[in-house]
mmCIF file of all heavy atoms in Angstrom:
data_model
loop_
_atom_site.group_PDB
_atom_site.id
_atom_site.type_symbol
_atom_site.label_atom_id
_atom_site.label_comp_id
_atom_site.label_asym_id
_atom_site.label_seq_id
_atom_site.Cartn_x
_atom_site.Cartn_y
_atom_site.Cartn_z
ATOM 1 N N THR E 120 106.820 17.708 -213.488
ATOM 2 C CA THR E 120 107.966 17.540 -212.628
ATOM 3 C C THR E 120 109.247 17.406 -213.442
ATOM 4 O O THR E 120 109.314 16.607 -214.384
ATOM 5 C CB THR E 120 107.825 16.217 -211.775
ATOM 6 O OG1 THR E 120 106.634 16.333 -210.981
ATOM 7 C CG2 THR E 120 109.020 15.977 -210.909
ATOM 8 N N ASP E 121 110.253 18.204 -213.075
ATOM 9 C CA ASP E 121 111.563 18.007 -213.691
ATOM 10 C C ASP E 121 112.683 18.041 -212.637
ATOM 11 O O ASP E 121 113.852 17.836 -212.955
ATOM 12 C CB ASP E 121 111.844 19.012 -214.782
ATOM 13 C CG ASP E 121 111.999 20.456 -214.286
ATOM 14 O OD1 ASP E 121 112.051 20.676 -213.059
ATOM 15 O OD2 ASP E 121 112.070 21.371 -215.126
ATOM 16 N N GLY E 122 112.318 18.277 -211.378
ATOM 17 C CA GLY E 122 113.322 18.260 -210.301
ATOM 18 C C GLY E 122 114.149 19.479 -210.172
ATOM 19 O O GLY E 122 115.004 19.632 -209.313
ATOM 20 N N SER E 123 113.892 20.479 -211.045
ATOM 21 C CA SER E 123 114.676 21.735 -211.060
ATOM 22 C C SER E 123 113.790 22.940 -210.962
ATOM 23 O O SER E 123 114.167 24.066 -211.309
ATOM 24 C CB SER E 123 115.521 21.828 -212.340
ATOM 25 O OG SER E 123 116.420 20.739 -212.416
ATOM 26 N N GLY E 124 112.564 22.763 -210.501
ATOM 27 C CA GLY E 124 111.629 23.867 -210.359
ATOM 28 C C GLY E 124 110.627 24.027 -211.491
ATOM 29 O O GLY E 124 109.768 24.896 -211.430
ATOM 30 N N GLY E 125 110.744 23.170 -212.520
ATOM 31 C CA GLY E 125 109.823 23.281 -213.662
ATOM 32 C C GLY E 125 108.397 22.973 -213.278
ATOM 33 O O GLY E 125 107.484 23.419 -213.984
ATOM 34 N N GLY E 126 108.214 22.210 -212.220
ATOM 35 C CA GLY E 126 106.856 21.849 -211.761
ATOM 36 C C GLY E 126 106.509 22.581 -210.489
ATOM 37 O O GLY E 126 105.619 22.102 -209.712
ATOM 38 N N ASP E 127 107.099 23.725 -210.233
ATOM 39 C CA ASP E 127 106.816 24.549 -209.064
ATOM 40 C C ASP E 127 105.323 24.882 -209.001
ATOM 41 O O ASP E 127 104.792 25.472 -209.932
ATOM 42 C CB ASP E 127 107.649 25.848 -209.132
ATOM 43 C CG ASP E 127 107.455 26.728 -207.914
ATOM 44 O OD1 ASP E 127 106.611 26.432 -207.067
ATOM 45 O OD2 ASP E 127 108.177 27.762 -207.847
ATOM 46 N N ASN E 128 104.667 24.453 -207.902
ATOM 47 C CA ASN E 128 103.226 24.687 -207.771
ATOM 48 C C ASN E 128 102.888 25.848 -206.836
ATOM 49 O O ASN E 128 101.703 26.000 -206.482
ATOM 50 C CB ASN E 128 102.565 23.410 -207.248
ATOM 51 C CG ASN E 128 102.157 22.478 -208.355
ATOM 52 O OD1 ASN E 128 101.372 22.867 -209.253
ATOM 53 N ND2 ASN E 128 102.658 21.269 -208.349
ATOM 54 N N GLU E 129 103.853 26.666 -206.468
ATOM 55 C CA GLU E 129 103.596 27.689 -205.495
ATOM 56 C C GLU E 129 102.516 28.626 -205.943
ATOM 57 O O GLU E 129 101.703 29.123 -205.125
ATOM 58 C CB GLU E 129 104.887 28.460 -205.151
ATOM 59 C CG GLU E 129 104.732 29.440 -204.011
ATOM 60 C CD GLU E 129 106.005 29.962 -203.456
ATOM 61 O OE1 GLU E 129 107.049 29.861 -204.145
ATOM 62 O OE2 GLU E 129 106.016 30.450 -202.315
ATOM 63 N N SER E 130 102.486 28.985 -207.227
ATOM 64 C CA SER E 130 101.503 29.927 -207.727
ATOM 65 C C SER E 130 100.201 29.217 -208.168
ATOM 66 O O SER E 130 99.223 29.892 -208.545
ATOM 67 C CB SER E 130 102.021 30.712 -208.928
ATOM 68 O OG SER E 130 102.387 29.865 -209.986
ATOM 69 N N ASN E 131 100.157 27.868 -208.133
ATOM 70 C CA ASN E 131 98.993 27.127 -208.542
ATOM 71 C C ASN E 131 98.050 26.777 -207.405
ATOM 72 O O ASN E 131 96.840 26.746 -207.570
ATOM 73 C CB ASN E 131 99.382 25.844 -209.256
ATOM 74 C CG ASN E 131 100.192 26.106 -210.517
ATOM 75 O OD1 ASN E 131 99.988 27.063 -211.184
ATOM 76 N ND2 ASN E 131 101.090 25.164 -210.822
ATOM 77 N N VAL E 132 98.637 26.474 -206.249
ATOM 78 C CA VAL E 132 97.826 26.035 -205.107
ATOM 79 C C VAL E 132 97.197 27.193 -204.400
ATOM 80 O O VAL E 132 97.576 28.368 -204.632
ATOM 81 C CB VAL E 132 98.696 25.214 -204.111
ATOM 82 C CG1 VAL E 132 99.274 23.978 -204.792
ATOM 83 C CG2 VAL E 132 99.812 26.100 -203.502
ATOM 84 N N THR E 133 96.225 26.893 -203.555
ATOM 85 C CA THR E 133 95.628 27.931 -202.667
ATOM 86 C C THR E 133 96.305 27.796 -201.298
ATOM 87 O O THR E 133 96.043 26.788 -200.573
ATOM 88 C CB THR E 133 94.128 27.733 -202.533
ATOM 89 O OG1 THR E 133 93.529 27.853 -203.831
ATOM 90 C CG2 THR E 133 93.516 28.749 -201.587
ATOM 91 N N LYS E 134 97.138 28.719 -200.981
ATOM 92 C CA LYS E 134 97.884 28.621 -199.738
ATOM 93 C C LYS E 134 96.951 28.956 -198.550
ATOM 94 O O LYS E 134 96.166 29.900 -198.584
ATOM 95 C CB LYS E 134 99.045 29.607 -199.733
ATOM 96 C CG LYS E 134 100.132 29.287 -200.746
ATOM 97 C CD LYS E 134 101.225 30.326 -200.657
ATOM 98 C CE LYS E 134 102.330 30.075 -201.702
ATOM 99 N NZ LYS E 134 103.388 31.147 -201.642
ATOM 100 N N TYR E 135 97.121 28.209 -197.477
ATOM 101 C CA TYR E 135 96.419 28.456 -196.239
ATOM 102 C C TYR E 135 97.368 28.975 -195.145
ATOM 103 O O TYR E 135 96.953 29.343 -194.056
ATOM 104 C CB TYR E 135 95.732 27.188 -195.734
ATOM 105 C CG TYR E 135 94.355 26.976 -196.303
ATOM 106 C CD1 TYR E 135 93.695 25.780 -196.073
ATOM 107 C CD2 TYR E 135 93.697 27.962 -197.040
ATOM 108 C CE1 TYR E 135 92.397 25.564 -196.551
ATOM 109 C CE2 TYR E 135 92.429 27.741 -197.521
ATOM 110 C CZ TYR E 135 91.771 26.549 -197.290
ATOM 111 O OH TYR E 135 90.486 26.360 -197.772
ATOM 112 N N SER E 136 98.689 28.952 -195.451
ATOM 113 C CA SER E 136 99.656 29.426 -194.446
ATOM 114 C C SER E 136 100.896 29.908 -195.203
ATOM 115 O O SER E 136 101.038 29.703 -196.404
ATOM 116 C CB SER E 136 100.072 28.310 -193.472
ATOM 117 O OG SER E 136 100.990 27.401 -194.100
ATOM 118 N N ALA E 137 101.783 30.528 -194.430
ATOM 119 C CA ALA E 137 103.134 30.823 -194.935
ATOM 120 C C ALA E 137 103.993 29.567 -194.816
ATOM 121 O O ALA E 137 103.544 28.564 -194.232
ATOM 122 C CB ALA E 137 103.742 31.983 -194.182
ATOM 123 N N GLU E 138 105.201 29.610 -195.282
ATOM 124 C CA GLU E 138 106.164 28.496 -195.102
ATOM 125 C C GLU E 138 106.410 28.311 -193.615
ATOM 126 O O GLU E 138 106.581 29.290 -192.857
ATOM 127 C CB GLU E 138 107.444 28.805 -195.826
ATOM 128 C CG GLU E 138 108.492 27.723 -195.708
ATOM 129 C CD GLU E 138 109.779 28.067 -196.385
ATOM 130 O OE1 GLU E 138 109.862 29.147 -197.014
ATOM 131 O OE2 GLU E 138 110.738 27.261 -196.331
ATOM 132 N N ILE E 139 106.418 27.069 -193.181
ATOM 133 C CA ILE E 139 106.637 26.728 -191.769
ATOM 134 C C ILE E 139 108.069 26.178 -191.688
ATOM 135 O O ILE E 139 108.370 25.102 -192.202
ATOM 136 C CB ILE E 139 105.641 25.655 -191.282
ATOM 137 C CG1 ILE E 139 104.205 26.160 -191.496
ATOM 138 C CG2 ILE E 139 105.866 25.297 -189.848
ATOM 139 C CD1 ILE E 139 103.230 25.074 -191.872
ATOM 140 N N SER E 140 108.967 26.932 -191.048
ATOM 141 C CA SER E 140 110.381 26.588 -191.084
ATOM 142 C C SER E 140 110.912 25.994 -189.793
ATOM 143 O O SER E 140 112.089 25.614 -189.750
ATOM 144 C CB SER E 140 111.191 27.858 -191.445
ATOM 145 O OG SER E 140 110.936 28.890 -190.503
ATOM 146 N N THR E 141 110.092 25.874 -188.776
ATOM 147 C CA THR E 141 110.497 25.191 -187.528
ATOM 148 C C THR E 141 109.430 24.178 -187.167
ATOM 149 O O THR E 141 108.238 24.413 -187.406
ATOM 150 C CB THR E 141 110.713 26.168 -186.376
ATOM 151 O OG1 THR E 141 109.473 26.875 -186.127
ATOM 152 C CG2 THR E 141 111.808 27.163 -186.709
ATOM 153 N N TRP E 142 109.827 23.046 -186.602
ATOM 154 C CA TRP E 142 108.914 21.961 -186.313
ATOM 155 C C TRP E 142 109.322 21.255 -185.005
ATOM 156 O O TRP E 142 110.382 20.647 -184.945
ATOM 157 C CB TRP E 142 108.845 20.974 -187.438
ATOM 158 C CG TRP E 142 107.712 20.000 -187.374
ATOM 159 C CD1 TRP E 142 107.766 18.699 -187.013
ATOM 160 C CD2 TRP E 142 106.343 20.291 -187.675
ATOM 161 N NE1 TRP E 142 106.521 18.118 -187.061
ATOM 162 C CE2 TRP E 142 105.622 19.105 -187.468
ATOM 163 C CE3 TRP E 142 105.674 21.409 -188.096
ATOM 164 C CZ2 TRP E 142 104.233 19.007 -187.676
ATOM 165 C CZ3 TRP E 142 104.301 21.354 -188.314
ATOM 166 C CH2 TRP E 142 103.612 20.141 -188.099
ATOM 167 N N SER E 143 108.497 21.395 -183.984
ATOM 168 C CA SER E 143 108.752 20.682 -182.723
ATOM 169 C C SER E 143 108.320 19.247 -182.839
ATOM 170 O O SER E 143 107.284 18.926 -183.436
ATOM 171 C CB SER E 143 107.941 21.354 -181.586
ATOM 172 O OG SER E 143 107.972 20.543 -180.406
ATOM 173 N N THR E 144 109.102 18.364 -182.266
ATOM 174 C CA THR E 144 108.730 16.920 -182.241
ATOM 175 C C THR E 144 108.213 16.492 -180.866
ATOM 176 O O THR E 144 108.020 15.295 -180.624
ATOM 177 C CB THR E 144 109.939 16.057 -182.651
ATOM 178 O OG1 THR E 144 111.003 16.285 -181.731
ATOM 179 C CG2 THR E 144 110.371 16.355 -184.047
ATOM 180 N N SER E 145 108.031 17.473 -179.984
ATOM 181 C CA SER E 145 107.590 17.126 -178.622
ATOM 182 C C SER E 145 106.474 18.023 -178.119
ATOM 183 O O SER E 145 106.278 18.169 -176.905
ATOM 184 C CB SER E 145 108.783 17.209 -177.662
ATOM 185 O OG SER E 145 109.336 18.518 -177.683
ATOM 186 N N GLY E 146 105.760 18.625 -179.011
ATOM 187 C CA GLY E 146 104.650 19.507 -178.632
ATOM 188 C C GLY E 146 103.901 20.007 -179.867
ATOM 189 O O GLY E 146 104.204 19.582 -180.997
ATOM 190 N N TYR E 147 102.960 20.869 -179.639
ATOM 191 C CA TYR E 147 102.148 21.408 -180.724
ATOM 192 C C TYR E 147 102.902 22.426 -181.531
ATOM 193 O O TYR E 147 103.625 23.284 -180.963
ATOM 194 C CB TYR E 147 100.840 22.008 -180.218
ATOM 195 C CG TYR E 147 99.707 21.020 -180.044
ATOM 196 C CD1 TYR E 147 99.396 20.505 -178.798
ATOM 197 C CD2 TYR E 147 99.050 20.540 -181.173
ATOM 198 C CE1 TYR E 147 98.356 19.587 -178.654
ATOM 199 C CE2 TYR E 147 98.010 19.609 -181.050
ATOM 200 C CZ TYR E 147 97.691 19.147 -179.781
ATOM 201 O OH TYR E 147 96.681 18.196 -179.665
ATOM 202 N N ASN E 148 102.715 22.364 -182.845
ATOM 203 C CA ASN E 148 103.241 23.383 -183.769
ATOM 204 C C ASN E 148 102.104 24.260 -184.182
ATOM 205 O O ASN E 148 101.023 23.785 -184.582
ATOM 206 C CB ASN E 148 103.842 22.717 -185.006
ATOM 207 C CG ASN E 148 105.048 21.868 -184.619
ATOM 208 O OD1 ASN E 148 106.187 22.365 -184.510
ATOM 209 N ND2 ASN E 148 104.832 20.561 -184.444
#
Side-chain angles (χ1 to χ4, degrees):
T120 300
D121 68 8
S123 300
D127 183 354
N128 272 303
E129 188 167 19
S130 62
N131 297 329
V132 300
T133 300
K134 294 180 182 177
Y135 273 171
S136 77
E138 179 182 0
I139 303 145
S140 57
T141 60
W142 193 255
S143 169
T144 59
S145 59
Y147 273 103
N148 296 276

